Amino acid sequence: MSFDEVFDVIVIGGGHAGCEAASAASRLGSQTALVTMNLDLIGQMSCNPAIGGIAKGHLVREIDALGGVMGRVADRAGIQFRLLNRSRGRAVQSPRAQADRSMYRKEMRKTLEGTPNLHLRQGMVMELVLRQGRMAGIRLQDGRKFGAPAVVISTGTFLNGVVHTGRQTYKAGRAGEPSSIELAEALKRLGFPVGRLKTGTPPRLDGRTIEWSAFEPQPPDEVPVPFSFATDEIAQAQLNCYVGYTSPGVHAAIRQNLHLSPLYSGQIRGIGPRYCPSIEDKVVKFADKDRHQLFLEPEGHDTNEVYLNGFSTSLPAELQQELIRLIPGLEVARIIRPGYAIEYDFVDPRELGPDLQTNRVVGLFHAGQINGTTGYEEAACQGLIAGINAALAVQGRPRFRVRREESYIGVLIDDLINQGVDEPYRVFTSRAENRLSLRYDNADERLESYGRNLGLVGDFDWERFTQRRDRLARLGKILEGTRLKRSDAAYAAISAKLGVDLGDSVTLAQLGKRSGVGVDIIRSILPAEKLPGITDSEIESGLADSLYAGYIEAQRLNVQRVHQHDSLQIRPDFIFRGLSGLSHEMVERFERARPLTFGQARRIPGLTPAALSTLLIHLSVCDHPA
Amino acid sequence: MDTIVALGTPAGRSAIGVIRLSGPDSLSIARSIVGENYFKPEPSQPVLRSIKGTASNSILDRALLTFFPGPNSYTGEDLVEISCHGSPIVLRQVIDLTLGLGARPAGPGEFTLRALSNGKMNLTQAEAIRDLINAQTEAAAQQALRQMMGELSSRLRRPQQALIHTIVQLESALEFVEDDLPELKRQDIVGELTEVASDLHNLASTFEVGHLLRDGVRVTIVGRPNVGKSSLFNKLLAFERAIVTEVPGTTRDTLTERLGLDGIPILLTDTAGLRESSDRIESIGVERTRQAMAEADLLVVVLDGSEDLRAEDLSALSQAKSARHIVAINKSDVASFDTLEKSRPSYEAGSVNVSAVTGFGLETLRAAILEPFVAGDSPNAGFLITDARHYDLLLRARNEVQSSWELLQRGASEELVLIGLHNGLRFLGQITGETSTDEILSEIFATFCIGK
């Protein structure tokens, strides 16, 4: 077969995973095609118009530190920035922003079009072309054939997508857009184990028909915290969101009409995320709650459309309109687009290596919802890793992976490829063993040098990073080296504020170990000239370093002690049945998960300590044959 | 890598017991227990030292210490062998000492495991040892042990569930700030953690008795001469082991026999009567009595109920006072016993009237001996931790929960409070099986309506 065009890397799908993948691969010097059904919808936010949130904001920062694009684009399109968990420790704070939906698309498209080696192509992919079991190219619906030794599939909900509203169902990747059926078939033909997941969206309302005074405004932060380390200023005017509640009347009406919900009629079989339930689910599963929270989120500066977050539903469209009007403040509201549920195929992510290449087909990479995840940020970070590795593979360079100890991206990929998914996977801070080390504000310290070594971080950004790193190091020394003494003018006030006696003399680093010590206290001790060029945010980072240092060290020792065997390797062909004294059930659990290290085996749910002990002893024996 | 410790010889009474320490701190721990800062014997050359107890100037044992520096040791790490006298009590005290200095009780097969990971064995040797370990695993699968494990797991369920419950509250508060969750009630969580810590503490504290039941309870009979200690000793053993005469001071040496009371192993010791004596042999005997009293888990102070108390009786009682003890008032068969009954003082530790001649009161005495070890009114009635590893894990879990409790009280942010709770749960998980992140997330989603 001859190809109409030949590339190094082809990315299928122009969502959040596809954009990162294409951008990374092309910037690493690979001729890269981004093939999507509709170029006008590149970077579309299919669900709520927001980026970030707890753990998700961490991911965006990590993507940014590695040289990805999501953070920069979100900063340009963000219309309401808020740093979440401000009252808690730095490790669990995270940036979040509402984004102008159409501006986000426009900015993403502009970013990709400005990237050398990146070629946008519109078309629907029908077939994967293999040669001797390796990726060779793709065939489009219009007959064109593109060649490439590496292909990234990031098709989101389009893979065999089916939309449900009430009893109406139709094949679609998003409401009004065709689904990708042939590609799904092609993957099945290759033998990939495919499952079915479900997600949903709420209706979008005409803002002119909302009684805004019935809702409580939720203002943006006065000083927005951006996603990208490169962003100095947020240019977009900032807006309010609004908070309201459902009423018992709404719940009663939903209960009466449950039989019309495809979720409860058995029409939908795919598994939906428990942390993003439909309003039907909320009413049924939490029957004792007489109201559920709703958010009115503006879709952008230039539109009346308002996203009714918290009211995801697959009830019939005409019923949705009736239900909305039972909500206080929405008595005369009109729906512009009804909510819907969508079912789609995903491929078992245990088919993947840590580089997100499939074990089955050399040169084929999967990223995003095809791997069973949910969320723009989860998709984007996988796109980045898959795009990087697709380019590295073509260039014959060693693969790139990040470890779970050093990043949420590593946590996510490690969880996916080892444990698989049985519901759409979302990142949570509690999934990270090293939560205290993985802060949004130190993502650059953790990852920027990887991005630089790969070639994704340019000179300008690297210079900015190294200067920031130097400033933080200097700050660290200042905090270590400055003492607050009882005789100091500020001592009494600080001691009183913290409600403790600080002793005769304490370094500022020691002071930072106390909760409640913030920038104001440090600034009251150190005048601005002693902290040249150091921002408030950097002082917060320095204090967080002090606060967490002791805990992180204790945790490290603990992990070392408890998990000292984690790196023991398990051969891919290891026969678990051969372990004497293991119950049938334990053998099955091992075989289903097929761990490659003892650390992975340890995280398999449901194993007994005895089973792990048996495995450990066996591994130690086999590890030292001589 | 941390330093592990275990008894290298079978548990129970033997002539010699060998304790092995392996890991980077072996030598420094050895230095502490012999009280010499620069102690460093020639490799593989046993040297004799006194093992210092925690009390000032106390000496637990005279022992042979042998240092095997890594990598030329069994495990490939620094290893110290301590050959003590074989008393289970002494051995336990020495092990406790090393635990206090940072050693950790070795898991099953862990010395071998270290030897393997350091490449100290070839495949054949290793497989032989693996078979041995497997054999032990099979033995461990025996009914009794399984029941014990099942029982322990079920007793851990409550603290474990409570821990998960608090983790769910705190994790939800920080993961789902935008959701409409009920306000976090920190004081309720403080209360819940107080209970968890006390549950774990109570369970762990059964170990003190639990290990006695495994290694044998040392019960030592003491008293002034001629109150009938040896008669009582023979009666409890149900055979004429000790020589009994009318002559005060017949027993010159301590005499120990093993017996079972309700299935609990008892090491019963008869001693020379306590009194000042110019007889050299008798003095040595009395010295040994004092030694036996120091080692005992329970003293039975025997008095002669047919006579008034003498100064020597009072002295015996006062020597027993600081130890766990009971009082046996003997010779209830003698006529004057009853007439003196009213004038007898009452003893705080409780007393039992017996007759070593007729056997009167023996059942009550047996019950009184067992009573401290099978306490019936505690929440852990009849259940005891006997495994040092379980004990260690329970204590570690308790300490973690305690530290979280303190952070919570001080108003620390949730992510800090959670560290100890997750660690605590993980330590308990090493006994009962780990709780995965997914199980905790499931619990969160079942408890709260999460999600926009």
Side-chain angles (χ1 to χ4, degrees):
Chain A
M1 190 191 299
S2 68
F3 291 112
D4 298 290
E5 279 189 282
V6 174
F7 302 95
D8 297 319
V9 175
I10 292 171
V11 177
I12 305 173
H16 306 284
C19 290
E20 293 291 349
S23 165
S26 54
R27 283 184 295 135
L28 289 182
S30 290
Q31 292 299 321
T32 304
L34 174 62
V35 183
T36 176
M37 288 189 211
N38 186 345
L39 279 181
D40 298 328
L41 295 175
I42 275 182
Q44 173 77 315
M45 293 190 277
S46 315
C47 199
N48 62 326
I51 305 266
I54 311 288
K56 287 168 172 275
H58 289 81
L59 281 180
V60 182
R61 282 281 175 123
E62 291 181 1
I63 292 168
D64 190 68
L66 286 171
V69 294
M70 179 175 245
R72 289 165 196 250
V73 172
D75 285 343
R76 270 177 254 145
I79 53 176
Q80 192 217 29
F81 278 85
R82 288 195 308 132
L83 183 67
L84 303 184
N85 264 343
R86 249 180 215 280
S87 68
R88 296 193 166 84
R90 193 77 154 168
V92 292
Q93 295 177 3
S94 200
R96 181 189 189 279
Q98 295 296 140
D100 181 313
R101 199 189 293 273
S102 76
M103 200 183 310
Y104 190 92
R105 283 199 308 264
K106 209 172 80 196
E107 288 294 337
M108 184 57 86
R109 171 110 183 231
K110 203 160 87 187
T111 302
L112 297 186
E113 287 189 344
T115 307
N117 307 329
L118 176 49
H119 313 275
L120 301 181
R121 295 289 181 271
Q122 182 158 308
M124 186 192 280
V125 178
M126 305 296 278
E127 184 66 270
L128 300 172
V129 181
L130 272 67
R131 278 186 192 147
Q132 280 114 38
R134 306 171 77 94
M135 249 359 272
I138 57 168
R139 188 171 63 77
L140 302 185
Q141 192 178 32
D142 57 27
R144 282 180 296 172
K145 293 186 281 293
F146 297 155
V151 171
V152 179
I153 304 184
S154 47
T155 43
T157 56
F158 282 69
L159 209 59
N160 229 344
V162 174
V163 162
H164 302 258
T165 39
R167 290 195 180 125
Q168 303 287 324
T169 67
Y170 61 98
K171 291 181 165 52
R174 274 190 294 249
E177 300 172 54
S179 65
S180 186
I181 296 161
E182 286 77 8
L183 186 57
E185 291 308 310
L187 286 168
K188 281 184 198 158
R189 274 199 303 280
L190 286 170
F192 284 105
V194 170
R196 208 82 177 128
L197 292 173
K198 171 250 155 185
T199 187
T201 78
R204 300 171 203 187
L205 311 177
D206 183 339
R208 294 170 303 181
T209 63
I210 293 171
E211 178 50 52
W212 292 97
S213 63
F215 295 86
E216 187 196 330
Q218 183 191 48
D221 283 351
E222 273 171 40
V223 181
V225 174
F227 287 110
S228 173
F229 289 99
T231 302
D232 296 320
E233 207 182 354
I234 298 300
Q236 295 294 330
Q238 299 290 292
L239 302 176
N240 282 344
C241 286
Y242 291 83
V243 181
Y245 295 92
T246 58
S247 63
V250 179
H251 299 187
I254 290 173
R255 272 191 211 103
Q256 273 164 29
N257 290 290
L258 266 189
H259 59 285
L260 299 175
S261 167
L263 274 177
Y264 285 87
S265 66
Q267 186 179 311
I268 291 181
R269 285 200 304 278
I271 298 156
R274 284 171 300 176
Y275 31 80
C276 196
S278 63
I279 190 70
E280 298 95 293
D281 266 346
K282 290 181 187 178
V283 167
V284 171
K285 291 188 181 146
F286 295 90
D288 54 330
K289 284 197 80 167
D290 55 9
R291 63 176 204 179
H292 290 281
Q293 201 173 29
L294 300 172
F295 293 82
L296 296 175
E297 300 178 347
E299 293 251 333
H301 281 308
D302 303 330
T303 173
N304 284 323
E305 241 180 295
V306 173
Y307 190 86
L308 182 58
N309 210 344
F311 206 81
S312 169
T313 181
S314 55
L315 286 164
E318 66 280 11
L319 182 60
Q320 290 182 28
Q321 179 65 73
E322 282 176 41
L323 292 173
I324 292 301
R325 291 189 168 176
L326 297 171
I327 296 170
L330 299 182
E331 289 83 356
V332 296
R334 294 187 184 194
I335 290 178
I336 295 179
R337 307 182 207 217
Y340 61 89
I342 182 162
E343 278 187 293
Y344 55 95
D345 282 357
F346 78 103
V347 177
D348 188 341
R350 286 173 293 188
E351 290 281 324
L352 305 171
D355 56 357
L356 297 182
Q357 182 171 211
T358 64
N359 299 325
R360 209 170 280 270
V361 179
V362 175
L364 181 61
F365 297 76
H366 290 172
Q369 274 169 307
I370 191 174
N371 291 334
T373 60
T374 168
Y376 309 146
E377 307 80 359
E378 285 85 348
C381 75
Q382 292 172 67
L384 178 63
I385 300 298
I388 289 170
N389 282 307
L392 295 177
V394 173
Q395 294 163 15
R397 291 163 65 186
R399 298 305 154 74
F400 174 66
R401 62 178 293 191
V402 281
R403 289 173 298 121
R404 68 183 294 133
E405 292 76 23
E406 62 188 355
S407 63
Y408 278 100
I409 301 179
V411 170
L412 178 143
I413 293 176
D414 192 58
D415 281 351
L416 284 181
I417 66 174
N418 289 306
Q419 308 202 19
V421 295
D422 39 29
E423 73 178 315
Y425 179 101
R426 199 196 116 168
V427 73
F428 294 108
T429 67
S430 53
R431 294 197 196 268
E433 293 78 3
N434 288 7
R435 168 155 66 189
L436 298 187
S437 309
L438 308 184
R439 287 160 23 204
Y440 84 91
D441 62 323
N442 68 8
D444 55 343
E445 281 173 69
R446 292 185 275 121
L447 302 173
E448 192 110 4
S449 56
Y450 291 142
R452 177 67 175 173
N453 291 339
L454 283 164
L456 286 178
V457 172
D459 293 344
F460 185 80
D461 288 322
W462 182 248
E463 179 65 20
R464 176 187 44 73
F465 164 69
T466 51
Q467 282 177 10
R468 182 175 128 83
R469 190 177 57 187
D470 294 348
R471 277 198 307 279
L472 284 168
R474 211 159 56 230
L475 173 66
K477 287 212 183 76
I478 295 171
L479 295 179
E480 294 276 350
T482 311
R483 289 190 161 269
L484 176 66
K485 302 195 192 71
R486 202 179 285 281
S487 54
D488 290 343
Y491 184 96
I494 293 170
S495 193
K497 184 173 178 190
L498 297 175
V500 283
D501 184 83
L502 297 166
D504 288 338
S505 165
V506 60
T507 69
L508 300 192
Q510 287 163 343
L511 195 63
K513 291 186 188 304
R514 299 186 172 276
S515 328
V517 175
V519 176
D520 49 338
I521 288 185
I522 298 301
R523 291 260 188 227
S524 76
I525 300 167
L526 289 166
E529 66 268 20
K530 289 258 181 75
L531 297 167
I534 293 171
T535 65
D536 283 359
S537 167
E538 284 163 349
I539 294 177
E540 297 266 19
S541 296
L543 287 173
D545 288 341
S546 300
L547 174 66
Y548 292 130
Y551 295 97
I552 290 171
E553 177 59 12
Q555 195 67 0
R556 191 185 64 79
L557 292 174
N558 207 346
V559 166
Q560 201 179 29
R561 198 179 78 74
V562 178
H563 306 321
Q564 58 201 4
H565 303 294
D566 275 11
S567 58
L568 277 180
Q569 305 279 316
I570 306 175
R571 286 193 318 271
D573 57 347
F574 188 86
I575 300 167
F576 291 98
R577 257 165 301 137
L579 289 174
S580 58
L582 274 197
S583 76
H584 222 61
E585 190 196 343
M586 293 300 130
V587 171
E588 266 180 27
R589 284 182 194 272
F590 278 126
E591 289 192 333
R592 215 166 21 216
R594 289 244 135 255
L596 291 174
T597 62
F598 183 75
Q600 292 169 2
R602 199 174 44 72
R603 286 193 292 273
I604 300 172
L607 289 181
T608 62
L612 282 172
S613 231
T614 309
L615 175 68
L616 181 55
I617 286 168
H618 192 91
L619 290 179
S620 312
V621 171
C622 297
D623 237 27
H624 299 282
Chain B
M1 196 66 81
D2 50 356
T3 299
I4 52 176
V5 64
L7 191 57
T9 44
R13 190 154 290 265
S14 53
I16 286 177
V18 179
I19 293 164
R20 289 197 297 184
L21 276 165
S22 178
D25 298 331
S26 304
L27 190 59
S28 68
I29 292 173
R31 281 175 178 158
S32 299
I33 65 175
V34 301
E36 293 175 30
N37 291 342
Y38 302 101
F39 177 69
K40 189 175 184 183
E42 284 297 303
S44 313
Q45 296 296 315
V47 292
L48 187 63
R49 287 290 185 281
S50 297
I51 309 278
K52 307 267 196 295
T54 37
S56 63
N57 295 329
S58 73
I59 289 175
L60 290 179
D61 198 8
R62 293 279 286 170
L64 282 174
L65 283 90
T66 319
F67 176 51
F68 302 94
N72 302 314
S73 69
Y74 172 73
T75 54
E77 309 172 319
D78 280 2
L79 189 144
V80 174
E81 282 190 359
I82 310 167
S83 303
C84 301
H85 292 95
S87 149
I89 291 108
V90 170
L91 290 170
R92 177 178 55 81
Q93 284 172 334
V94 175
I95 289 178
D96 282 352
L97 210 53
T98 66
L99 295 179
L101 292 164
R104 169 175 68 77
E110 201 170 353
F111 280 90
T112 307
L113 204 56
R114 289 192 174 195
L116 290 163
S117 8
N118 292 323
K120 295 296 293 180
M121 282 186 189
N122 65 31
L123 185 60
T124 327
Q125 286 172 316
E127 274 179 341
I129 287 173
R130 189 196 62 185
D131 288 346
L132 198 70
I133 290 165
N134 280 348
Q136 282 173 0
T137 312
E138 272 160 30
Q142 282 167 9
Q143 190 68 4
L145 253 167
R146 262 219 309 274
Q147 276 174 355
M148 196 278 287
M149 278 307 297
E151 174 101 42
L152 178 54
S153 295
S154 79
R155 278 170 199 276
L156 281 176
R157 201 158 295 139
R158 191 173 91 147
Q160 223 163 1
Q161 288 305 323
L163 258 188
I164 291 174
H165 184 248
T166 57
I167 288 173
V168 162
Q169 311 287 317
L170 294 164
E171 288 287 3
S172 305
L174 51 88
E175 298 271 16
F176 305 105
V177 270
E178 294 190 278
D179 286 275
D180 186 24
L181 301 183
E183 204 190 329
L184 191 66
K185 295 196 179 71
R186 283 189 160 232
Q187 272 320 307
D188 289 1
I189 296 180
V190 166
E192 207 164 352
L193 292 182
T194 310
E195 274 184 40
V196 172
S198 109
D199 277 357
L200 296 178
H201 174 82
N202 288 341
L203 263 179
S205 58
T206 65
F207 178 69
E208 197 201 335
V209 169
H211 81 88
L212 288 178
L213 297 195
R214 200 190 52 193
D215 301 336
V217 183
R218 267 208 96 126
V219 177
T220 298
I221 302 174
V222 295
R224 68 165 167 85
N226 220 18
V227 290
K229 295 183 296 297
S230 296
S231 308
L232 208 52
F233 177 74
N234 287 343
K235 207 75 188 170
L236 283 166
L237 285 178
F239 72 105
E240 300 295 312
R241 178 64 184 85
I243 300 164
V244 176
T245 70
E246 299 297 318
V247 184
T250 303
T251 306
R252 294 295 178 96
D253 197 357
T254 57
L255 191 57
T256 301
E257 279 298 328
R258 181 175 276 271
L259 77 150
L261 288 184
D262 284 2
I264 293 171
I266 305 280
L267 298 152
L268 190 64
T269 301
D270 185 23
T271 60
L274 288 163
R275 69 168 168 189
E276 295 304 318
S277 171
S278 51
D279 181 334
R280 194 152 169 269
I281 300 175
E282 194 177 349
S283 301
I284 294 171
V286 169
E287 194 40 53
R288 292 200 174 173
T289 302
R290 297 224 162 83
Q291 179 88 31
M293 286 176 78
E295 287 181 9
D297 300 309
L298 178 76
L299 298 174
V300 178
V301 184
V302 183
L303 303 175
D304 182 344
S306 66
E307 294 183 11
D308 286 319
L309 286 182
R310 300 183 194 172
E312 285 159 338
D313 291 314
L314 295 175
S315 156
L317 281 166
S318 92
Q319 286 179 54
K321 203 171 172 188
S322 59
R324 190 187 275 142
H325 70 283
I326 53 174
V327 178
I329 306 171
N330 193 19
K331 306 196 184 176
S332 69
D333 52 303
V334 178
S336 55
F337 188 95
D338 292 338
T339 49
L340 286 170
E341 179 81 54
K342 282 191 198 91
S343 57
R344 255 196 288 276
S346 67
Y347 298 98
E348 212 178 301
S351 63
V352 182
N353 294 344
V354 292
S355 165
V357 176
T358 64
F360 169 82
L362 266 191
E363 268 320 301
T364 320
L365 180 60
R366 286 195 186 101
I369 289 174
L370 288 180
E371 208 255 357
F373 308 104
V374 289
D377 52 353
S378 81
N380 293 302
F383 181 77
L384 301 164
I385 301 284
T386 55
D387 183 323
R389 200 179 75 92
H390 292 160
Y391 173 68
D392 178 60
L393 288 167
L394 286 171
L395 277 193
R396 284 173 192 268
R398 203 273 317 259
N399 293 342
E400 292 286 349
V401 171
Q402 190 69 31
S403 70
S404 289
W405 182 91
E406 282 159 18
L407 282 168
L408 200 61
Q409 292 279 47
R410 282 189 358 223
S413 181
E414 285 83 354
E415 79 276 13
L416 295 176
V417 177
L418 278 159
I419 299 171
L421 303 183
H422 283 295
N423 285 344
L425 192 60
R426 211 165 295 136
F427 284 130
L428 297 184
Q430 287 180 42
I431 302 174
T432 62
E434 282 195 41
T435 307
S436 69
T437 310
D438 269 336
E439 287 169 72
I440 287 171
L441 287 172
S442 295
E443 200 58 37
I444 290 178
F445 302 134
T447 312
F448 299 118
C449 183
I450 300 287
K452 284 185 170 179

